[in-house]
C-alpha cells in the first residue's frame, strides 16, 4: 500500500467519523451529491435530445434521398436501362439499410432518454430534509470549516 493510499484511507476514515459526529453535515453532503447528480442527468438529457434531433434530421434527408433514387429506378426501367436500374436499386437498398440503422439508434436514444427521465423523477420526488434557517446554515458551515481546519493541522 503506497503512502498515497494510506493517506486517502486515513482521510476517508476521518471524514466518516466527522460525518457520524455531525449528522447535519452529512445531510448537507448528501443534498449536494443529489444536486450534482441532478445537474449531470439534466446535461445527459440535453445531449440525448440534441442527438435525437440530429438523427431525425438525418432520417428526413435519407428519406428524401431514397425517394430520389426510387424515382431514378422507375425512370431507368421505363427507358429499358435494366443494368442501371438494378445498380440504382442496389444503392436504394443500401440507403434503406442506413435508414433502418438510424431508426434503431433513435430507438436506443429514446430508451436512454426514458431512463434519464426516470432517474430525474426519482431524484425530484425523494424526500428532502427541511430547510434550516440562514443562521443554522451559517453555523453548520462554520463548524465544518473548523473541523476541516483541524484535520488539516493534524495532517501537517
Amino acid at each position: 500500500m503506497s503512502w498515497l493510499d494510506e493517506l486517502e484511507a486515513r482521510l476517508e476514515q476521518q471524514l466518516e467519523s466527522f460525518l457520524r459526529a455531525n449528522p447535519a453535515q452529512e445531510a448537507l453532503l448528501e443534498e449536494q451529491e443529489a444536486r450534482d447528480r441532478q445537474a449531470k442527468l439534466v446535461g445527459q438529457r440535453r445531449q440525448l435530445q440534441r442527438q435525437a434531433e440530429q438523427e431525425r434530421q438525418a432520417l428526413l434527408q435519407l428519406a428524401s434521398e431514397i425517394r430520389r433514387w426510387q424515382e431514378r429506378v422507375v425512370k431507368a426501367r421505363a427507358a429499358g436501362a435494366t443494368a442501371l436500374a438494378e445498380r440504382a436499386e442496389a444503392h436504394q437498398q443500401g440507403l434503406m439499410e442506413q435508414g433502418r440503422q438510424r431508426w434503431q439508434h433513435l430507438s436506443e436514444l429514446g430508451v436512454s432518454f426514458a431512463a434519464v427521465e426516470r432517474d430525474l423523477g426519482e431524484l425530484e420526488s425523494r424526500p428532502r430534509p427541511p430547510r434550516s434557517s440562514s443562521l443554522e446554515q451559517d453555523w453548520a458551515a462554520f463548524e465544518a470549516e473548523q473541523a476541516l481546519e483541524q484535520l488539516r493541522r493534524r495532517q501537517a
Side-chain angles (χ1 to χ4, degrees), residues 26-123:
E26 186 170 14
L28 288 173
L29 182 62
E30 289 172 359
E31 185 67 25
Q32 182 60 48
E33 288 174 349
R35 280 193 301 270
D36 292 346
R37 176 148 169 68
Q38 184 175 22
K40 180 182 173 191
L41 287 169
V42 167
Q44 285 178 335
R45 178 173 58 186
R46 270 191 237 114
Q47 177 66 24
L48 288 168
Q49 287 171 325
R50 280 192 297 272
Q51 287 178 333
E53 184 55 33
Q54 289 171 349
E55 283 297 322
R56 283 186 209 102
Q57 291 302 317
L59 275 166
L60 290 172
Q61 287 178 328
L62 198 54
S64 175
E65 187 77 8
I66 290 169
R67 278 192 294 279
R68 195 172 82 218
W69 280 98
Q70 194 172 29
E71 291 168 2
R72 288 178 175 178
V73 168
V74 170
K75 189 175 185 179
R77 288 208 190 280
T82 308
L84 184 60
E86 288 173 357
R87 287 177 48 210
E89 200 168 47
H91 182 71
Q92 179 188 1
Q93 291 300 318
L95 292 173
M96 291 173 74
E97 178 57 33
Q98 286 179 27
R100 282 188 284 280
Q101 290 171 0
R102 287 197 176 273
W103 272 113
Q104 178 63 35
H105 186 240
L106 189 58
S107 173
E108 291 166 1
L109 288 173
V111 169
S112 297
F113 186 82
V116 166
E117 286 292 303
R118 183 190 65 243
D119 291 350
L120 275 170
E122 288 173 5
L123 269 176

Side-chain angles (χ1 to χ4, degrees), residues 18 22 24-25 28 132-147:
F18 170 76
N22 299 286
Q25 293 302 315
L28 288 173
S132 55
S133 72
S134 176
L135 177 60
E136 286 184 21
Q137 288 176 343
D138 292 345
W139 187 257
F142 170 76
E143 286 180 327
E145 188 60 39
Q146 294 294 310

Side-chain angles (χ1 to χ4, degrees), residues 1-20 29 147-156:
M1 183 178 234
S2 73
W3 66 270
L4 186 58
D5 292 335
E6 289 176 22
L7 176 63
E8 187 177 338
R10 196 167 45 217
L11 287 173
E12 185 67 31
Q13 288 172 345
Q14 288 176 347
L15 176 63
E16 287 174 9
S17 66
F18 170 76
L19 292 176
R20 278 192 302 274
L29 182 62
L148 287 172
E149 189 59 38
Q150 282 180 336
L151 288 174
R152 286 187 195 114
R153 278 187 246 140
R154 283 188 216 148
Q155 293 301 318

